[in-house]
Amino acid sequence: MNFAKLLALVQKPARYLGNELNAVKKPWEKNLVKIAFCFPDLYEVGMSHLGLRILYETVNRRDDALLERVFAPAEDMEKLLREKGYFLFSLENKKPLWEFDLVGFTLQYELSYSNILNMLELGGVEIFAEKRRGWPLVMAGGPGAFNPEPLADFIDFFVLGEGEEVVAEIIEVVKEAKVKGWERNDTLLALAQIPGVYVPKFYRVSYDEAGRLTEFMPLKKDLPVKFTKRIAQGFLSGYSLPSPIVPYLDIVHNRAMVEIMRGCSRGCRFCQAGMIYRPVREKTPELVLAEAEKIMEKTGYEEISLASLSSGDYPYIREVAKKLLDKYQEAGVNISLPSLRIDTFAVDLASELQRVRKATLTFAPEAGTQRMRDIINKGVTEEDLINTVKAAFKAGWQAIKLYFMIGLPYETDEDVAGIIHLAQKVADIGVKEGRVPRGRLKVTVSVSNFVPKPHTPFQWLGIISAEEIKRRQGILEKLAKKDRRLSLKMHDYRTSLLEAALSRADRRIGRVIYRAHKLGAKFDGWQEYFNYELWQKAFLEEGFDLEAYARRSFSLDDRLPWEPFAGGISQRFLKKEYRDAMAGKNTADCREGKCTGCGVCPALEISPVLTGGRKVSEIFA
Amino acid sequence: MKYLLKYSRGGELKYISHLDTMRVFERAFRRANLPMAFSEGFNPHPKFSIALPLALGHESQGELMELTLKQFLPPEEIKERLNSVLPSGFKVLEVKPYLDDKSLMSRVSKVVYRIKINLSNTELLARKEKLLTDKPRIVKNTKRGEKQIDFWQAVEALEVQENGINVVIRVGENSLRPEEVAKIFLGYLPEDIEYIREEIILS
């Protein structure tokens, strides 16, 4: 392959260089366990993913294994590869996928599933797991692995939970298999013994007409029928310090990422991350500072992001942010917090962080009325929001961004209209506070469509119909049109329908994904590529109706296709949360002291790790 | 304290853009612990500017940059510190105090390019002869409509060398890109052509 020639012909060659600062290129010829980490989206998206960076460092610091990066090629590169008959290659050694021992995908988002098939095809790896012979084995992890069945036809094994914990055990098995020349099946059987690993081919799975799980049966002895996820033991001791590769390109999140905690215990009922990344584990402030310093030394980034699912909840957030700012202000480095709660503390914090650069303030009330926010357990009142934006306008912000969802369970037209009413109240405060010049005041109202996800209290419900989404979007549009202070942004309903269909899908949908791939589906998350009719066609040709499938609901007594993969969350807890949602009853955060009984701690034999001597009292219900 | 930096760009790093190059340097300054000076205002930026953007795919032996530091550092130390943290592909060749009042950008007057072409010397010489007699004009589409540029006005000198040509291009309103020079010179643009900026000449 004449690599230089390829680079000269594509638009952003820096996507494929692989020689960025701190990238690791190991000698290929040494007999290492070779892993390709495949991110099924463009370089700019994939390089922003912390998990990739953590695994990159975890594997590459071993001397018996290597891990190289592979991203979905952009359209121009894919065209060249196909025309010239080249295989999709890894960035570091420029090796085709089929030369690796393990080809791993991260499942961040359902709309990237078509890219997985495309990448396998481009990389010279057989798409169907059952037709593969010899190496490589294809694995997958990430949040999507908590409902692995839609990809069961294509993936040899799935990993539930935090990959840096389990990858060492996988490497050991592969090493032994290579030395002893094991058959593929024997290797997979050995892998299936590792906790958190699921090998679909060793299970018989069936569903009834309504899509309920009727059988989930291991075909080999001693295999689990219920999977618990893995939790990284080294996280709190700083072992998972992510490798700070510094990209040349301007990627989506182009900054030093320092994880301050994992998990979120707030318990918003729509949020899958909040459920599957439990329990909450907070790093000590000393460790956070030490990691930040190390990363900055190696990268020289202009921004440090204190990353977690809910950074405002980290008890030492102010101290840590202030210390970093004091240290790096001179060098023009700013500190950012990816997710802030709606409270005045957040505004204080954000104001302090503005010493270097001013960013937009974004808050996520998620719903327009209190009734609705109680249903989803958002734990935020209108008063909270009003006080917060008041503080924000006083502190000098002129534009505020608000995130909402429509299509939440039991939503009425008043709830929908409430979104605009709430945004108007926010705008009124901007006017009243008087500090914002006319014309500068802007409230961006970003409204996405609620997509029910597995392992959340709303997992039994389908998405609302296309017609209904359009109608509710119409209500928003009509109300927002009159108010020039508001800028309304709404999510495309068709991508939401596909996301809904794939997120709660079962093994039968593998055929549909394959057909969609054959019809040319890729980059479904990108507006310019997404083709809804193509997916409709793929569903129809395999005997399913996309929209009906996305809308299917289950009753609380049904066995759900993804039930075996809850990872530790108890069904009883989810059902209780579902009922509490209907009753508009809130559930507190376990960090406030009382265990909510989600089941994760007993299942994983772990407990939340809170700093500063805080504790959660156990319940034995 | 202002400095003039001369650096080279080669290897695979020729495939990064001007903006990417700016980012590489800004982060390298930080890793090298240089006391950068920042612009005032809403969104402070470190004070440095590159004399002339280098196109994607071009190598260079003589890029120029103006850099302002908050305090004095010996030029040799700046060079060493930067070279120890820059990714391979970038190399600082020379650092000296910049004493001119005018900005570096405004002083760029000519660039010298080496264009590697896979043709014999005789063939290259014949093409040069033809250009000298033809005196071609190049039509360019600009925002204000079509514009004609006289080749020998834009190109001050063109010298045939082993496996290619060296050209001195005037920088300014009626400027030509090296690709345009190569295309006029050859009549077509082959895939395996290489461009190396040898020098930026200041006024």
Side-chain angles (χ1 to χ4, degrees), chain B residues 65-197:
Chain B
M65 175 193 290
E66 181 190 332
L67 168 70
T68 311
L69 297 183
K70 276 189 293 201
Q71 66 202 59
F72 174 81
L73 278 183
E76 196 55 27
E77 188 184 335
I78 296 175
K79 177 180 154 184
E80 269 164 31
R81 278 211 225 165
L82 277 176
N83 280 336
S84 69
V85 296
L86 276 169
S88 61
F90 280 111
K91 195 167 180 218
V92 177
L93 306 170
E94 200 185 335
V95 178
K96 57 186 184 189
Y98 184 72
L99 302 167
D100 207 293
D101 283 341
K102 278 203 217 157
S103 79
L104 190 58
M105 271 178 179
S106 67
R107 290 179 56 200
V108 175
S109 78
K110 290 171 223 168
V111 287
V112 184
Y113 263 94
R114 170 153 181 75
I115 304 175
K116 283 194 190 168
I117 302 164
N118 208 359
L119 287 177
S120 71
N121 243 26
T122 1
E123 217 161 323
L124 292 171
L125 280 168
R127 283 179 199 268
K128 181 180 173 181
E129 277 312 306
K130 193 167 180 302
L131 266 186
L132 283 167
T133 41
D134 281 1
K135 296 199 175 80
R137 295 173 74 78
I138 296 108
V139 180
K140 267 197 164 186
N141 288 314
T142 66
K143 278 175 218 150
R144 274 172 281 164
E146 275 187 4
K147 187 163 86 173
Q148 291 215 352
I149 296 174
D150 186 336
F151 183 83
W152 288 109
Q153 275 290 311
V155 177
E156 188 182 89
L158 190 156
E159 203 181 307
V160 170
Q161 292 192 336
E162 196 68 34
N163 298 325
I165 52 174
N166 263 28
V167 289
V168 181
I169 306 172
R170 290 198 181 93
V171 176
E173 220 174 297
N174 293 320
S175 199
L176 286 180
R177 288 185 292 120
E179 288 91 341
E180 292 169 315
V181 173
K183 199 176 169 200
I184 293 297
F185 182 77
L186 292 168
Y188 66 102
L189 209 51
E191 259 185 32
D192 57 357
I193 201 158
E194 283 176 53
Y195 304 92
I196 301 146
R197 190 138 87 190

Side-chain angles (χ1 to χ4, degrees), chain A residues 3-5 7-8 11 13-14 17 19 21 246-250 254 296-302 330-333 356-358, chain B residues 12-13 15-17 19-21 23-24 26-28 30-31 36 38 41-45 56 70 85-88 90 191-192:
Chain A
F3 184 61
K5 212 164 198 171
L7 289 183
Q11 242 183 19
L17 292 179
N19 62 352
L21 187 77
V246 185
Y248 299 115
L249 284 175
D250 196 14
N254 209 353
M296 285 307 286
E297 239 167 61
K298 288 197 230 164
T299 63
Y301 272 118
E302 51 285 334
E330 280 285 283
V333 176
V356 179
R357 242 167 258 134
K358 205 158 196 102
Chain B
E12 280 181 358
L13 282 201
Y15 291 111
I16 74 171
S17 72
L19 265 177
D20 294 342
T21 303
R23 260 194 300 271
V24 166
E26 179 176 342
R27 289 169 184 166
R30 228 176 250 120
R31 290 195 301 279
M36 286 177 284
F38 283 84
F42 196 67
N43 205 349
H45 280 288
L56 205 84
K70 276 189 293 201
V85 296
L86 276 169
S88 61
F90 280 111
E191 259 185 32
D192 57 357

